[in-house]
């Protein structure tokens, strides 16, 4: 912690770290809408001025990306705020085409976005990214095995996860059951993607 506080005032990485530390000290749960918006605006100012924490925010890099994007990977991941793919994989601007939805499920709009990535961006790599402690999978397990009920829109989301849980043993300890559910959900989503006519057509074009 001391190292974070001893960064130079002119160091953008240091400014970002101090900004993060101040937010953590205030407590995420204590940030109301107005203060949250102010925090986002404060974080955007260095980006717009080209002095953000990341060195690849240089004007020439962004200007080049404005002419077109050529990401090398499409990632379908969960919306969970703790697992942003760009940070998890230490990726830069223009490298990843990221689709995020709770439970990394495959619905019609997600399928359309994946098709766009394949047809127009020609990304050669597809990753379905699950993560530990996924709340969406946990809710689906609670509904399937324990009779839990959820709000209507959440229930629609969980309906895309529950089929993935068919082979799970409900007698597993809770943590093991959740981890097995997360793995099964990723594999279920991948099977649906690779079994689609669009994916098979893509395979023929290679």
């Amino acid at each position: 912690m001391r190292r974070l506080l001893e960064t130079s005032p002119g160091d953008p990485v240091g400014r970002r770290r101090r900004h993060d530390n101040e937010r953590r000290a205030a407590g995420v749960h204590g940030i109301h809408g107005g203060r949250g918006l102010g925090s986002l605006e404060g974080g955007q100012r260095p980006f717009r001025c080209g002095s953000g924490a990341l060195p690849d925010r240089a004007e020439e890099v962004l200007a080049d990306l404005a002419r077109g994007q050529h990401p090398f990977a499409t990632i379908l991941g969960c919306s969970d705020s703790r697992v942003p793919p760009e940070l998890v994989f230490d990726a830069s601007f223009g490298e990843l085409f990221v689709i995020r939805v709770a439970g990394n499920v495959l619905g019609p709009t997600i399928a359309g976005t994946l098709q766009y990535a394949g047809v127009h961006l020609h990304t050669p790599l597809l990753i379905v990214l699950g993560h530990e402690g996924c709340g969406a999978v946990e809710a689906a397990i609670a509904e399937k095995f324990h009779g839990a009920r959820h709000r209507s829109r959440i229930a629609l989301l969980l309906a895309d996860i529950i089929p993935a849980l068919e082979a799970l043993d409900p007698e597993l300890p809770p943590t093991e059951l959740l981890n097995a559910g997360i793995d099964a959900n990723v594999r279920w989503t991948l099977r649906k993607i690779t079994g689609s006519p669009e994916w098979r057509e893509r395979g023929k074009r290679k």
Side-chain angles (χ1 to χ4, degrees):
M1 179 64 74
R2 287 182 59 193
R3 281 208 310 271
L4 299 183
L5 298 177
E6 289 171 357
T7 50
S8 165
D11 175 17
V13 175
R15 286 200 303 271
R16 179 63 188 174
R17 286 171 173 170
R18 285 193 296 275
H19 180 63
D20 290 343
N21 288 340
E22 288 167 2
R23 286 199 296 190
R24 291 192 188 101
V28 174
H29 297 293
I31 297 180
H32 56 73
R35 183 175 178 183
L37 179 59
S39 178
L40 293 175
E41 290 175 339
Q44 186 190 34
R45 276 193 289 273
F47 174 85
R48 294 174 63 186
C49 297
S51 60
L54 299 178
D56 49 10
R57 290 179 178 176
E59 286 188 18
E60 59 270 20
V61 174
L62 298 180
D64 182 61
L65 288 172
R67 290 189 284 269
Q69 58 171 323
H70 305 283
F72 67 83
T74 296
I75 297 182
L76 171 55
C78 184
S79 296
D80 194 300
S81 62
R82 300 166 294 183
V83 285
E86 294 87 349
L87 298 183
V88 169
F89 294 111
D90 193 24
S92 183
F93 291 91
E95 293 184 341
L96 304 178
F97 187 74
V98 178
I99 309 162
R100 299 184 70 181
V101 59
N104 38 271
V105 299
L106 182 67
T109 56
I110 302 300
T113 309
L114 287 170
Q115 188 174 44
Y116 173 83
V119 172
H120 296 285
L121 301 180
H122 308 290
T123 53
L125 176 64
L126 169 65
I127 295 174
V128 177
L129 182 65
H131 68 95
E132 293 180 348
C134 180
V137 174
E138 186 174 26
I141 288 172
E143 179 171 324
K144 179 172 178 60
F145 296 121
H146 306 296
R149 292 292 176 262
H150 302 89
R151 299 289 183 92
S152 59
R153 300 294 181 181
I154 297 175
L156 287 174
L157 173 77
L158 300 182
D160 285 326
I161 300 175
I162 288 174
L165 311 178
E166 286 297 328
L168 297 190
D169 178 3
E171 300 302 319
L172 286 172
T175 300
E176 289 184 29
L177 181 59
L178 177 57
N179 288 339
I182 291 165
D183 184 67
N185 183 49
V186 168
R187 295 178 185 279
W188 170 255
T189 299
L190 273 172
R191 282 198 299 271
K192 290 201 293 183
I193 293 172
T194 57
S196 68
E198 294 83 6
W199 186 269
R200 290 195 294 269
E201 180 62 29
R202 175 175 174 169
K204 293 177 183 177
R205 292 197 301 268
K206 288 183 177 179

